[in-house]
Amino acid sequence: MDQAQYSLEGKTALITGGSRGIGEATAFTFAKAGADVAITSRKLPDLERVAAEIKKMGRKSLAVACHIGRLEQLQPLVDQVNQEFGKIDILVNNAGNSFFQPALEISEKAWDTVFNLNLKGLFFLSQAVARLMVNQGGGSIINVSSTAGIRPQVPTAHYSIAKAGVNMVTKVLAKEWCQYNIRVNGVAPGAVETRMLQAALDGLSEDQEKAARKEFTKNIPMKRIGEPQEMADAILFLASRASSFVTGHTIAVDGGVLL
């Protein structure tokens, strides 16, 4: 195997939700592959910690506080990254949120909170970055979806529906932007050891959490919860030349749960 196919040397990446979990793992993985990395989330101190680690690897890094669900913040983010690095070759749309609430109880505000970040912000950030990529001659966009966007998940109807939308955004943009040499793909994680997963377990006793984790893994053929690094490795594949003939696809990285 030619390891050079996975190199991101000379590339610049922008990763949303880059301060922890899948975003943090992806930022470090990209830096190890040779990329300069801009990371964004709502809290600057968490970002600065990750950016400092990336700089220790000998790569350039920029931390920018931004709420992806607020459209007025998106163009300034893109402008700042472009000004710092002169280009954006790779965009990873990783920022997302969710919470448990039955469909009978979801309010418009709750719906908008999830959709503005998980779907609307993702689309319009992709649009802003793609305008740069068109002028640069191409690029790669990777959307972090979820198995919940493929198979209904309850009681998180708003999240499932938003992630199903992300899967369609991936297909539509891939088809439309092929002419500009922009590839658009996605990964659909199953259960992963992230703060979002832990939030679902907060408030449980040690025994209750152990039982809940056992329940999580019961229906996973590989009998374990995934690690952020395993998601980051799939994202690296989609960002690199190794996937040069792949566009419009969402890869399930789920331990076989969709089987």
Side-chain angles (χ1 to χ4, degrees):
M1 183 176 67
D2 184 2
Q3 294 290 339
Q5 289 291 91
Y6 293 89
S7 171
L8 299 182
E9 200 72 39
K11 303 292 185 183
T12 293
L14 170 59
I15 301 171
T16 71
S19 63
R20 64 178 193 251
I22 294 170
E24 178 183 10
T26 301
F28 291 151
T29 299
F30 279 15
K32 287 174 186 173
D36 296 324
V37 184
I39 50 174
T40 185
S41 70
R42 285 178 287 179
K43 296 179 181 177
L44 192 58
D46 294 340
L47 291 169
E48 288 174 335
R49 174 187 58 80
V50 176
E53 290 298 318
I54 291 170
K55 288 172 183 174
K56 287 179 186 176
M57 299 178 193
R59 308 310 314 176
K60 294 178 184 175
S61 188
L62 176 68
V64 184
C66 176
H67 191 318
I68 301 301
R70 295 178 181 167
L71 299 195
E72 72 277 5
Q73 296 185 21
L74 301 185
Q75 192 60 53
L77 166 66
V78 173
D79 291 344
Q80 188 173 346
V81 176
N82 189 40
Q83 186 174 2
E84 179 75 16
F85 297 111
K87 59 176 182 171
I88 301 175
D89 300 295
I90 303 160
L91 169 64
V92 179
N93 285 307
N94 170 66
N97 66 357
S98 182
F99 49 86
F100 292 106
Q101 195 167 39
L104 283 172
E105 299 173 12
I106 293 172
S107 66
E108 183 182 8
K109 183 178 179 181
W111 175 279
D112 289 345
T113 296
V114 169
F115 267 72
N116 285 349
L117 179 59
N118 292 5
L119 185 58
K120 187 176 180 180
L122 176 148
F123 176 87
F124 284 102
L125 180 59
S126 297
Q127 180 191 73
V129 172
R131 286 171 176 156
L132 283 182
M133 290 178 171
V134 168
N135 293 330
Q136 293 164 192
S140 179
I141 297 173
I142 301 102
N143 297 322
V144 178
S145 180
S146 170
T147 53
I150 300 170
R151 186 175 68 186
Q153 177 178 289
V154 295
T156 55
H158 44 350
Y159 181 73
S160 243
I161 296 165
K163 289 299 188 179
V166 170
N167 296 341
M168 185 52 68
V169 165
T170 298
K171 292 177 180 292
V172 169
L173 298 187
K175 188 169 185 178
E176 185 173 320
W177 293 349
C178 255
Q179 61 184 310
Y180 305 117
N181 194 33
I182 298 172
R183 295 188 301 113
V184 186
N185 289 291
V187 296
V192 181
E193 289 287 0
T194 62
R195 195 176 296 183
M196 189 181 291
L197 175 66
Q198 188 57 46
L201 304 171
D202 284 349
L204 300 180
S205 69
E206 188 176 333
D207 287 343
Q208 287 173 326
E209 180 173 337
K210 198 174 289 184
R213 285 180 174 276
K214 188 176 181 181
E215 188 65 25
F216 274 146
T217 59
K218 188 171 70 174
N219 296 318
I220 302 174
M222 291 184 73
K223 300 302 178 190
R224 66 178 179 85
I225 293 170
E227 295 294 334
Q229 185 60 54
E230 293 172 305
M231 310 304 122
D233 291 341
I235 293 168
L236 174 63
F237 165 70
L238 293 172
S240 71
R241 293 196 309 274
S243 62
S244 58
F245 201 51
V246 180
T247 196
H249 290 281
T250 296
I251 301 172
V253 189
D254 65 349
V257 75
L258 289 176
L259 299 174

